[in-house]
Amino acid sequence: MKSKEPPLLMTPGPTYVPERILKALSRPLIHHREKEFLEMVQNCTERLKQVFKTKNDLFILTSSGTGAMEAAISNTISPGDKVLSVVNGVFSERLSNIATSFGATVRTLSVPHGQAVEPAKFKEVFQSSNYKLVTIVHNETYSAVKNPVAEIGKIVNETDSLLLTDAISSLGGDDIRTDEWGVDFCLAGSQKCLMLPPGLAFITVSEKAWGAIDKKQGGRFYFNLKKYKEKAPDNPWTTAINLVFGLDESLNMIFEEGLENRIKRHTQVAEHCRKEIKKLGFQLFATPESVASQTLTSVLASGRDVEKMRSIVKQKYNIQMAGGQKDLKGKIFRIGHMGAIGKKEVDLTIDAISKSLKEL
Amino acid sequence: MKSKEPPLLMTPGPTYVPERILKALSRPLIHHREKEFLEMVQNCTERLKQVFKTKNDLFILTSSGTGAMEAAISNTISPGDKVLSVVNGVFSERLSNIATSFGATVRTLSVPHGQAVEPAKFKEVFQSSNYKLVTIVHNETYSAVKNPVAEIGKIVNETDSLLLTDAISSLGGDDIRTDEWGVDFCLAGSQKCLMLPPGLAFITVSEKAWGAIDKKQGGRFYFNLKKYKEKAPDNPWTTAINLVFGLDESLNMIFEEGLENRIKRHTQVAEHCRKEIKKLGFQLFATPESVASQTLTSVLASGRDVEKMRSIVKQKYNIQMAGGQKDLKGKIFRIGHMGAIGKKEVDLTIDAISKSLKEL
């Protein structure tokens, strides 16, 4: 069935999955209610808590990252509740859309694409009403911009409001400090910096969040976090067993490298990518550069046909990057450098871009 | 990490996953929004429709089967809607619980465990009110009993009510006739007769069902079927790519064998299992035998310590069966014979049971 080598995925998820993890995926199944599997889940959960830097509860969901978004919101929000959503891209907008779907009255704090929210501006809007929940994306995959969650957390934590942070495209590659930042729900997905295929999502739940969840009636079942808590480490439904085999191996690799080493490596790879892409005459989309993501880089087209360039890079060099989504299509392109991706792969990509530009 | 051979799974899901499918799971990833992957999804969808015997829309969800249950219910039910749930086990009860969670007024038609619903009895209860939705499990995994969905369908189809049928543990091993039976939502999961690991669920949606879905406001997002329809064959969220690689291979195997041959094989294996288990002096739990499932067999303990017996079979012969759940714990045990499981595996299991009984 394989007509050619799979492309090198320099996309912001799914990203390159190392051979060791692919191999773990094809391990013959054991039953998900058996001791051996439950011990693996428990062990993965404890190590994931270290990656999230949290002592809060943590659950493994069989869904995409959007499922974890829904879990946080549908367990907290009743119709009429007020939600403040910081929106600076498609994924932060998704959080506001989910809140609306579950009946919340959503105030959107729109931030221009390519920029991060300013804490002072946030504080002003936040103080104008009593919000039950604040939603913010740590690393907005749409624009490759990092929001100052630590500073937002300080503001929210002084109140009864809950803070939901989507760290889907940064957890495992950036320094996520769930507890220090006061994040009540921190979310991640398997197919980003954790080097896994898609299909698992992760959610942390603070004591403060449980207070709201315990009062919530109906309106959710598959993502009902109370059921996950009652059953833990077992899952109330059937877990995607083989993806957990992969997760176990991913966590082995993360702790063999060392979490802090790994975060530092991502910082260095990101700096290297930005430096090299600028050498080709491109400008970064994220402004100022201090808000640029350390797991992916968004690059302005600057008058070049970047869709055609991406196509040549894919066809000729078998390297896949991402374009801009929605309003940004053709205006930017994005290079993912997550998980197992290092300087070597970034250099291959830069080289392919450089050669492809000459064909435009 | 592997201390010993994985057990032969004679459980009602997850079930034995053939080597070919395990291998497909470890295929390097391609991007889920790319043509190659979307063609695979389209191709899997068309072949799954043949397995469901439907011309209705069909969607692949990244979730356990419970997610497909929630998709059907949360897209249809608004608070106060009337639902009639046929309940003869844990899984049919789960459907009624989900309906309750989403605000339905649920009437439960309880059928003694081990028995199937009687169409005349159903008709009487069904006609007592106007139900928006009827829920029924085709193959109740809790008791290994098959409900007469064809006959229930005839009754429901004369009205505006919708029929939701969970075929999670029978699709691909029994003769599911979604369209002929008039099933508006037919559900299945990956880890049963389809020989895959858990993590994918499938749902068919009839034109009649779309009528109700289109009128439904809010209350769901991840499982919002309208979004799946708009995006098809792409998925609105990120699909569990590697599980779709496995699904593609599973469908290759199903159509190499031939769907009708495969269904017939399941019938023969089930008959063989029931005959052999009775030879050991056991009685079947399903009564009359004509309602016994053809994908798993439930067996009465008849005074024997079947939990101990199962434990010996597992420890000494490395064969894993299922016990009874909840009220049936210790009272029955269950032998799954799904997907790739044939007479040979059933014979190995019967032999292990026979030997283990002598040690009780």
Side-chain angles (χ1 to χ4, degrees), chain B residues 186-291:
Chain B
C186 195
L187 321 178
S190 52
Q191 78 277 21
K192 311 284 183 178
C193 307
L194 297 176
M195 313 173 290
L196 288 161
L200 295 181
F202 313 106
I203 183 167
T204 72
V205 185
S206 73
E207 273 306 315
K208 191 175 168 186
W210 282 123
I213 294 169
D214 287 339
K215 287 186 199 122
K216 170 80 171 83
Q217 299 295 315
R220 80 286 197 214
F221 192 89
Y222 186 72
F223 294 119
N224 185 339
L225 294 170
K226 287 207 281 191
K227 292 187 189 287
Y228 285 82
K229 191 181 189 180
E230 284 164 21
K231 281 275 190 180
D234 199 355
N235 190 300
W237 326 124
T238 307
T239 309
I241 299 171
N242 296 55
L243 295 178
V244 174
F245 292 163
L247 174 62
D248 182 59
E249 189 65 6
S250 153
L251 290 162
N252 288 342
M253 290 177 73
I254 288 172
F255 287 98
E256 280 166 23
E257 180 176 8
L259 181 61
E260 299 309 322
N261 293 339
R262 183 180 179 83
I263 292 168
K264 199 172 159 191
R265 172 170 63 77
H266 276 81
T267 311
Q268 289 165 346
V269 171
E271 282 171 359
H272 180 68
C273 184
R274 293 198 296 270
K275 193 184 73 188
E276 293 298 318
I277 204 77
K278 285 188 285 183
K279 278 191 198 162
L280 296 183
F282 283 109
Q283 281 184 301
L284 302 176
F285 182 51
T287 51
E289 193 171 328
S290 59
V291 305

Side-chain angles (χ1 to χ4, degrees), chain B residues 329-341:
Chain B
K329 198 170 173 65
K331 295 182 182 162
I332 65 166
F333 66 97
R334 296 171 296 157
I335 306 170
H337 29 79
M338 297 180 179
I341 296 294

Side-chain angles (χ1 to χ4, degrees), chain B residues 69-136:
Chain B
M69 292 177 167
E70 175 162 327
I73 290 167
S74 67
N75 278 277
T76 315
I77 295 304
S78 298
D81 284 343
K82 288 181 181 174
V83 170
L84 175 58
S85 289
V86 175
V87 173
N88 55 346
V90 163
F91 295 94
S92 37
E93 192 176 22
R94 184 173 295 174
L95 284 167
S96 78
N97 290 340
I98 296 174
T100 302
S101 286
F102 284 90
T105 303
V106 180
R107 166 81 187 264
T108 296
L109 169 50
S110 293
V111 178
H113 295 156
Q115 296 177 30
V117 67
E118 285 173 32
K121 177 70 190 163
F122 173 83
K123 190 169 187 174
E124 193 189 312
V125 176
F126 178 67
Q127 287 178 336
S128 69
S129 190
N130 286 316
Y131 295 101
K132 185 160 190 182
L133 180 72
V134 169
T135 70
I136 189 166

